[in-house]
């Protein structure tokens, strides 16, 4: 550090020294400090402290400017008058004499410019560093200044007044945000290496973020964060995002776009697990750009990346709170995001089995052979998307035709019974007390298992596909509810499959079962019955057809159930054991199974509501319920009405037995 | 069957029946077009709005139905005030303390503490509750609806927050009315096993002697008495 000697000043002092009293005091001070081993106070200062109060205790502290005389800084004081003139130099002018580099940086920074609006906010050195008591580094080489910096900056940048004067464009509570961030929290706990204001913004060279020379300008942020987070910076530097930024696409994300600016929280923040925190960041950040039309139109980035993910199993389960399923980052990486064409990319064809293998250890090459972000809404696109598109629309057509057919049929039946209701003929006054057995206990138990497992399967199945709807709230708020949903679905599936297997045994190996199967086989009579019944319902015939043990309504219900169960079990097992499936089949098989499982579920559910619930509950002749599924009994009246041929056969059989 | 030859009594005269049909139709249209706006982001609502001719069409349909409802309400009001018969009917539906007694009796019957089901006059507590619920609901919906319809006038008088409150009130009162109609009224006139699939009174206006005895015994007694005198 240079020391300048001002000759005029010394001359002024010479004049003052003539005073005898002063000489006396001076000599006594000299004597005193001669014995004081720490004393470095110069003769000049002794003169100043004679009047100017510098606290005794501070004198012994470790100040960086010890040995520099008062007048070295306050060089414009003229001692020709008594009292001497006040120093008119600003601290910037004084300090700048020696600290020329810092002075120049400050002059060009936001704090240096004296624009009218910011006039009172142009900083002097002393505003941050203080005046006289500038402390040296301590033994640990930690700058005492570093500890104070956040609070020094906060004095202005955390005040509402500052925001008002600056036109309201800056963060209002920037210091509070910082205090709650991972940097501020660690720093508050005494981790001095944690980032403070100056680490990112620079100390003297603080510039507006819009200034390309600023350390927090978009093109420099990665570098700035990389000062500490070097490993991540190296990864990010390889990414397509950094490459785009370098090519002038300023929309390409930098660190702060995903992590926040002053609000950066730890990935282990609060009770969230790492995966939760990552998911929040990913869902917030990737979606913002990759679901944007501008990105796909302007930069030809593949469209529907987000919506296709959100509709996939991964996306649906993640929306419900399942933490073990993949999100964007799980496959594409977080910092080193690369297009799949890049051989280093995690989603490159050659790396896919490794990437998928993180969660699906048995992932084979078949994983890589399919389209991952599949969209079922486009007829165009690649072959697998076309296949799915056609399957989807065939199913939708099937659902509309089947369900509306069922609806029309039952609506006509309802109208017919309303007519009877108006005529007061619907319910006969006296019901017969004679009952026949229709379903034995074994059959009732099978039906009961089917009923329970079906309800659970429908609820837990559709809960996956509608993760945001109000009725799936329990799965979202219960801890681990999403996994519980999957577990219940599989348990119910096991029950359904068990019932189905038992039913196969029942209808093939037992006499009762074979009889039931024989009665259930479709015949040409069913077609005739159906036409006859339609004719009856629309008023072309006066009598309804006579049915045997099972009418066409029950037969179609039964065989639809067999078909539906087979489809659901097969596609369900493919989806349950998807890794094993992929060992032998390409990914398109999984996609088809998923699609079919979903639409068949709709078909089955709607058929149960429109067809089955009508016949056993809403049908006016059985309302409020056909109790047969619990009692197994059917009354003589009902037998006469609904199954006259069976009644005849039974009576005959009883007659034969009685007569021997 | 004996039912056809049974004596039946008038319960619901033709004017009340027309008023009920107008109320029913306008409420259904108002409900469908209103909830389509309330939950406009759902697929079903989008479908309904597009069928109804977009947002403008939906608004017209809603307002036409509202005019019918308002007309129906005014007609009903004038009818019960100035027609002698209707006024007598109205006097019977005014709530009284005995309704609470009936409710308590009915609850204790359902809980099997008291074996006897209460005997009712012409209108039981279920029907009275339904009627006054409709009256109150209609007043709220009509007043808030008119304030929202003529928003330029109401904005001259009311502050912004009052408009917000009215909007919320209109939507949620609509939901309440719908749920009451759905859970209370639909059960009592359709799903109730003793009338399923439908209580025919709203169309025929007549009630059979058996039902009258069973459901409104006090009224039956009164009719018999007046006939004897």
């Amino acid at each position: 550090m240079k020391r300048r000697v001002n000759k005029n000043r010394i001359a002024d002092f010479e004049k003052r020294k003539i005073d005898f009293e002063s000489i006396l005091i001076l000599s006594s001070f000299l004597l005193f400090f001669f014995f004081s081993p720490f004393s470095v106070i110069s003769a000049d200062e002794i003169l100043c402290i004679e009047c100017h109060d510098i606290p005794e205790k501070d004198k012994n502290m470790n100040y960086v400017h010890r040995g520099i005389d008062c007048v070295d800084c306050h060089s414009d004081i003229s001692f020709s008058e008594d009292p001497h003139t006040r120093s008119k130099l600003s601290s910037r002018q004084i300090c700048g004499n020696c600290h020329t580099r810092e002075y120049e940086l400050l002059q060009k920074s936001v704090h240096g410019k004296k624009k009218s609006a910011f006039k009172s906010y142009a900083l002097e050195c002393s505003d941050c560093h203080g005046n006289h008591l500038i402390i040296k580094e301590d033994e640990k080489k930690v700058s005492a200044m570093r500890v104070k910096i956040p609070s020094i900056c906060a004095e202005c940048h955390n005040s509402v007044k500052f925001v008002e004067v600056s036109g309201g464009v800056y963060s209002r509570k920037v210091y509070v945000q910082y205090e709650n961030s991972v940097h501020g929290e660690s720093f508050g706990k005494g981790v001095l290496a944690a980032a403070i204001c100056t680490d990112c913004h620079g100390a003297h060279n603080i510039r507006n973020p819009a200034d390309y020379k600023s350390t927090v300008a978009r093109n420099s942020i990665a570098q700035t964060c990389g000062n500490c987070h070097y490993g991540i910076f190296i990864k990010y530097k390889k990414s397509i995002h950094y490459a785009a930024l370098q090519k002038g696409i300023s929309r390409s994300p930098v660190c702060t776009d995903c992590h926040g600016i002053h609000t950066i929280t730890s990935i282990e923040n609060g009770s969230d697990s790492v995966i939760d925190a990552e998911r929040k960041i990913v869902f917030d950040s990737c979606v913002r750009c990759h679901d944007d039309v501008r990105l796909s139109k302007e930069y030809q980035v593949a469209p529907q990346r987000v919506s296709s993910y959100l509709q996939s199993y991964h996306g649906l389960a993640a929306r419900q709170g399942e933490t073990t399923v993949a999100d964007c980052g799980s496959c594409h990486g977080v910092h080193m995001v690369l297009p799949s064409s890049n051989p280093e990319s995690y989603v490159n064809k050659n790396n896919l089995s490794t990437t998928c293998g993180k969660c699906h250890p048995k992932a084979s090459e078949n994983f890589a052979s399919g389209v991952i972000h599949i969209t079922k809404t486009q007829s165009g696109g690649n072959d697998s998307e076309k296949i799915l598109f056609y399957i989807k629309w065939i199913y939708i057509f099937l659902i509309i035709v089947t369900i509306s057919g069922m609806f029309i049929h039952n609506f006509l039946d309802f109208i017919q019974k309303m007519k009877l209701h108006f005529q007061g003929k619907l319910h006969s006054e006296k019901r017969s007390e004679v009952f026949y057995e229709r379903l034995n206990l074994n059959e009732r138990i099978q039906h009961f298992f089917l009923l329970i497992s079906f309800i659970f399967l429908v609820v837990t199945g559709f809960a996956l596909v509608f993760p945001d709807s109000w009725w799936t709230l329990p799965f979202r708020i219960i801890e681990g509810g999403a996994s519980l949903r999957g577990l219940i679905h599989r348990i119910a599936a096991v029950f359904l499959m068990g019932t189905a297997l038992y039913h196969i045994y029942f209808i093939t190996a037992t006499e009762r079962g074979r009889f039931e199967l024989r009665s259930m086989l479709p015949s040409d009579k069913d077609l005739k019955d159906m036409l006859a019944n339609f004719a009856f319902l629309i008023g072309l015939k006066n009598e309804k057809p006579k049915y045997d043990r099972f009418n066409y309504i029950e037969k179609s219900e039964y065989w639809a159930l067999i078909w539906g169960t087979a489809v659901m079990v097969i596609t369900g097992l493919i989806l349950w054991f998807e890794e094993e499936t992929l060992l032998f089949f390409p990914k398109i098989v999984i996609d088809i199974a998923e699609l079919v499982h979903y639409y068949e579920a709709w078909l089955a559910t709607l058929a149960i509501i429109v067809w089955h619930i009508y016949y056993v509950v809403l049908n006016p002749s059985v309302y409020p319920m056909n109790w047969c599924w619990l009692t197994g009994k059917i009354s003589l009246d009902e037998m006469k009405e609904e199954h006259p041929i069976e009644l005849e056969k039974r009576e005959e059989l009883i007659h034969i037995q009685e007569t021997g | 069957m004996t039912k056809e030859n049974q004596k039946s009594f008038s319960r619901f005269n033709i004017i009340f029946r027309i008023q009920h049909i107008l109320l029913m139709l306008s409420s259904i249209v108002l409900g469908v077009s209103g909830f389509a706006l309330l939950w406009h982001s759902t697929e079903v609502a989008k479908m309904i709005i597009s069928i109804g001719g977009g947002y403008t069409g939906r608004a017209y349909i809603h307002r036409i139905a509202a005019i019918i409802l308002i007309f129906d309400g005014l007609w009903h009001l004038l009818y019960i005030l100035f027609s002698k018969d209707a006024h007598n009917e109205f006097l019977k539906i005014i709530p009284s303390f005995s309704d609470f007694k009936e409710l308590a009796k009915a609850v204790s019957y359902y809980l099997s503490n008291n074996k006897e089901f209460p005997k009712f006059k012409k209108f039981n507590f279920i029907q009275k509750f339904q009627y006054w619920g409709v009256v109150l609901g209609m007043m709220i919906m009509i007043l808030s609806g008119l304030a929202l319809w003529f928003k330029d006038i109401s904005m001259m008088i009311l502050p912004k927050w009052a408009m917000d409150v009215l909007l919320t009130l209109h939507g949620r009162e609509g939901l309440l009315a719908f749920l009451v109609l759905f859970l209370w009224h639909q059960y009592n006139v359709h799903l109730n096993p003793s009338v399923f699939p439908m209580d025919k009174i709203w169309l025929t206006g007549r009630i059979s002697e058996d039902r009258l005895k069973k459901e409104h015994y006090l009224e039956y007694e009164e009719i018999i008495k007046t006939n004897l005198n």
Side-chain angles (χ1 to χ4, degrees), chain A residues 186-462:
Chain A
S186 320
F187 193 75
K189 283 175 193 160
V191 183
L192 290 175
I196 56 170
C197 316
T198 51
D199 291 335
C200 301
H201 292 275
H204 300 100
N205 187 26
I206 297 175
R207 285 162 186 266
N208 194 304
D211 182 343
Y212 74 100
K213 282 180 182 169
S214 165
T215 50
V216 290
R218 282 191 78 77
N219 56 339
S220 318
I221 277 185
Q223 180 80 52
T224 302
C225 299
N227 286 340
C228 298
H229 304 276
Y230 188 66
I232 290 169
F233 175 55
I234 293 296
K235 276 188 170 181
Y236 171 73
K237 222 174 164 182
K238 285 185 188 169
S239 74
I240 182 80
H241 291 145
Y242 186 76
L245 201 68
Q246 292 307 302
K247 285 178 182 159
I249 299 167
S250 60
R251 278 167 60 81
S252 187
V254 296
C255 314
T256 49
D257 287 323
C258 303
H259 292 278
I261 304 170
H262 295 108
T263 50
I264 300 173
T265 48
S266 164
I267 202 147
E268 284 129 359
N269 188 34
S271 58
D272 289 337
S273 63
V274 173
I275 191 118
D276 272 348
E278 189 208 289
R279 177 150 303 156
K280 263 181 213 159
I281 295 173
V282 161
F283 270 26
D284 217 41
S285 313
C286 304
V287 173
R288 214 187 300 142
C289 301
H290 286 271
D291 207 18
D292 190 359
V293 180
R294 209 158 26 146
L295 196 72
S296 52
K297 284 207 172 160
E298 191 67 41
Y299 304 116
Q300 271 85 49
V301 173
Q304 291 185 311
R305 297 298 92 174
V306 175
S307 56
S308 58
Y309 164 76
L310 289 176
Q311 284 303 317
S312 73
Y313 173 75
H314 287 154
L316 291 170
R319 279 155 76 191
Q320 200 148 57
E322 177 72 89
T323 48
T324 53
V325 291
D327 55 43
C328 319
S330 320
C331 302
H332 293 275
V334 194
H335 298 111
M336 198 179 76
V337 179
L338 285 169
S340 59
S341 54
N342 189 317
E344 266 195 84
S345 167
Y346 298 121
V347 291
N348 184 275
K349 289 272 176 203
N350 301 322
N351 303 336
L352 264 183
S353 49
T354 320
T355 303
C356 304
K358 283 192 286 184
C359 302
H360 305 281
K362 290 174 195 156
S364 64
E365 276 95 53
N366 276 331
F367 252 107
S369 67
V371 180
I372 305 292
H373 282 269
I374 216 143
T375 50
K376 293 153 205 152
T377 47
Q378 290 168 319
S379 58
N382 52 52
D383 288 345
S384 40
E385 277 174 344
K386 268 182 199 159
I387 293 171
L388 294 171
F389 177 81
Y390 289 121
I391 291 176
K392 176 186 165 180
W393 281 102
I394 287 169
Y395 246 110
I396 289 176
F397 177 75
L398 201 66
I399 289 170
I400 291 173
V401 168
T402 315
I403 301 300
S404 47
M406 287 174 168
F407 186 82
I408 291 166
H409 178 274
N410 288 355
F411 187 70
L412 290 175
D413 187 79
F414 188 76
I415 295 291
Q416 177 71 24
K417 281 165 183 164
M418 279 295 269
K419 240 186 252 168
L420 293 176
H421 177 61
F422 268 86
Q423 291 161 359
K425 289 179 190 163
L426 190 61
H427 296 291
S428 50
E429 288 296 293
K430 281 179 187 172
R431 290 209 168 208
S432 103
E433 296 294 319
V434 183
F435 288 99
Y436 292 86
E437 187 186 64
R438 183 158 173 79
L439 295 173
N440 68 19
L441 185 64
N442 183 331
E443 289 160 349
R444 275 177 275 154
I445 291 172
Q446 288 183 45
H447 173 262
F448 187 74
F449 271 107
L450 177 68
L451 168 100
I452 296 293
S453 57
F454 185 86
I455 291 171
F456 273 97
L457 282 165
V458 167
V459 171
T460 55
F462 281 113

Side-chain angles (χ1 to χ4, degrees), chain A residues 446-499:
Chain A
Q446 288 183 45
H447 173 262
F448 187 74
F449 271 107
L450 177 68
L451 168 100
I452 296 293
S453 57
F454 185 86
I455 291 171
F456 273 97
L457 282 165
V458 167
V459 171
T460 55
F462 281 113
L464 173 67
V465 199
F466 301 104
D468 307 322
S469 53
W470 58 269
W471 58 272
T472 58
L473 191 71
F475 296 116
R476 290 199 295 276
I477 54 170
I478 295 170
E479 182 85 15
S483 324
L484 188 67
R485 185 209 61 78
L487 183 69
I488 296 172
H489 196 71
R490 282 165 176 77
I491 291 172
V494 169
F495 268 91
L496 181 77
M497 288 188 284
T499 313

Side-chain angles (χ1 to χ4, degrees), chain A residues 101 112 162 179 193 270 273 290 323 408 486 504 537 619:
Chain A
R101 201 175 68 88
F162 166 77
E179 258 190 330
S273 63
H290 286 271
T323 48
I408 291 166
I504 291 171
L537 291 176
N619 181 349

Side-chain angles (χ1 to χ4, degrees), chain A residues 414 418 421-429 617-620 623-624, chain B residues 1-4 187 190-193 195-200 203-204:
Chain A
F414 188 76
M418 279 295 269
H421 177 61
F422 268 86
Q423 291 161 359
K425 289 179 190 163
L426 190 61
H427 296 291
S428 50
E429 288 296 293
V617 177
L618 291 176
N619 181 349
Y623 189 85
Chain B
M1 244 166 262
T2 48
K3 267 187 186 177
E4 286 165 82
Y187 178 78
H190 289 288
L191 290 177
N192 186 340
V195 300
F196 189 85
M198 188 172 73
D199 192 340
K200 288 167 286 187
L203 289 174
T204 61

